[in-house]
Amino acid sequence: MIDPDEREQAALRAALKNMAELMAEIGWTKRFADLSEAQALALTTAAVDGFQEAMMASAPQPDPEVPF
């Protein structure tokens, strides 16, 4: 992602929160290289899901009024 806008930056912060919750379970002192495959995949999933959920939540909502 090159030069993320404000909305994308907010989504990245939301993704970090998801990852931080998972790291609290795994243990903050564990090196990334020492993670199991399942733990690494869970962190990746937390990051991607958090980003996508935040982007969807902040997307402009269509006007429910039909103009005709």
Side-chain angles (χ1 to χ4, degrees), residues 5-68:
D5 61 24
E6 288 181 30
R7 184 171 162 244
E8 291 168 327
Q9 289 176 11
L12 288 169
R13 284 189 292 279
L16 283 174
K17 289 179 184 177
N18 282 4
M19 293 174 65
E21 290 174 6
L22 188 55
M23 280 305 299
E25 292 176 24
I26 292 171
W28 284 101
T29 59
K30 193 161 192 174
R31 297 181 324 143
F32 190 78
D34 295 334
L35 295 178
S36 68
E37 179 182 5
Q39 290 169 325
L41 288 172
L43 274 175
T44 303
T45 301
V48 172
D49 286 353
F51 182 82
Q52 290 179 335
E53 289 170 6
M55 289 296 286
M56 285 190 302
S58 66
Q61 301 298 315
D63 187 359
E65 294 292 321
V66 179
F68 50 88

